[in-house]
Amino acid sequence: MVDTRRAGRPRDPELEHRAQQAARSVYAERGWSGFTLDEVARRSGIGKGSLYLRWPSKEALLVDAVRARIRFIADIDTGDLRADLIEFATSWLAHESTDDGSLARQLSADAHRVAKLGDTLAGDPYPEHLRATRAIIRRGIERGELPPQTSVALVADLIAGAVSNHVTATPPHLRERAKAESADYIAALVDTIIAGVRATVRAADQPRQIPVAAKSASTPAGSSRSKPSAATQASSK
């Protein structure tokens, strides 16, 4: 993991909070093209030099500011996989439905066209929220709630991806209804994924059965079939 803040400088949580809040505000209003440390310094009341002492670049500050709003996942640990995944999906849906979720999606899009921003994100490919999500699933595997062969990344992607798509694909006139029904949606989503993973792994562990029709079709053309017995031939005369 690569820390986007400079090492050696004592942390000041209040200063960092002000800087991150100002960075998110500037980015939300002006986008990447209008994002400058000068404006972040002005809004936060923190000197530009002090910002550079904590973040090596404006890219590092922005990535840290956006990701700081996703650190809630690390607190999820009820001791039960289903409950953990429901809490994660619920929290992720709430995050994706806010301005913070929009900023995260905007950051991801900008990183594809701005090389320095993309490099900063790539410098920490497994940020805290991703590690915390996968830790939930690993604990479930350790408790025997999922098979040992389970793909941790696949389960995390299925839940987070489905929730994100649910938020972005729901049309405006259905958002209130979707919000009211979100608990049922999330419970069904988690139950479907858990059942699907268990069933898939069980099926993979079973020996492959060749259907009878396939066996018949595999008989070489022109091969001899069993001849009727002499008694059968006699009885047919």
Side-chain angles (χ1 to χ4, degrees):
M1 170 183 155
V2 176
D3 196 337
T4 52
R5 292 166 294 202
R6 286 193 186 276
R9 179 77 176 182
R11 290 189 60 181
D12 182 345
E14 195 276 333
L15 183 147
E16 287 187 359
H17 175 73
R18 281 162 49 204
Q20 291 168 347
Q21 192 172 37
R24 289 190 294 268
S25 176
V26 174
Y27 187 53
E29 293 177 16
R30 301 186 176 186
W32 176 251
S33 61
F35 184 79
T36 66
L37 284 184
D38 288 324
E39 183 60 18
V40 173
R42 187 187 70 79
R43 295 195 188 192
S44 64
I46 302 169
K48 189 175 176 180
S50 295
L51 293 176
Y52 271 121
L53 286 174
R54 288 161 176 79
W55 294 276
S57 65
K58 68 175 187 176
E59 292 85 3
L61 169 57
L62 179 59
V63 169
D64 190 42
V66 172
R67 285 180 169 175
R69 303 294 286 178
I70 318 177
R71 290 177 183 149
F72 55 83
I73 300 172
D75 299 327
I76 300 174
D77 186 2
T78 67
D80 176 79
L81 176 67
R82 183 177 184 273
D84 282 354
L85 291 180
I86 285 178
E87 185 175 346
F88 161 64
T90 302
S91 299
W92 189 249
L93 186 146
H95 170 266
E96 289 289 271
S97 302
T98 64
D99 291 340
D100 291 328
S102 297
L103 283 185
R105 291 190 292 273
Q106 182 179 338
L107 178 65
S108 179
D110 285 340
H112 282 87
R113 62 181 184 81
V114 180
K116 287 185 178 180
L117 200 53
D119 290 343
T120 301
L121 280 176
D124 185 9
Y126 299 103
E128 181 181 339
H129 67 277
L130 183 57
R131 298 195 307 274
T133 303
R134 294 185 178 188
I136 291 173
I137 300 159
R138 288 193 179 96
R139 289 194 295 268
I141 294 173
E142 291 168 0
R143 291 192 296 261
E145 295 169 284
L146 287 177
Q149 308 94 312
T150 299
S151 169
V152 172
L154 177 60
V155 175
D157 289 349
L158 285 171
I159 294 178
V163 169
S164 296
N165 184 71
H166 185 64
V167 170
T168 57
T170 299
H173 69 282
L174 292 178
R175 285 174 187 166
E176 286 302 317
R177 177 180 173 182
K179 183 178 180 181
E181 298 174 352
S182 62
D184 291 338
Y185 168 80
I186 287 171
L189 172 66
V190 170
D191 289 342
T192 299
I193 290 174
I194 291 176
V197 169
R198 290 171 176 168
T200 300
V201 173
R202 280 199 303 269
D205 287 342
Q206 293 177 353
R208 186 164 175 256
Q209 300 292 328
I210 301 176
V212 175
K215 290 180 179 179
S216 300
S218 64
T219 303
S223 60
S224 60
R225 296 179 179 272
S226 298
K227 295 182 179 180
S229 65
T232 301
Q233 293 180 27
S235 64
S236 63
K237 293 181 180 180

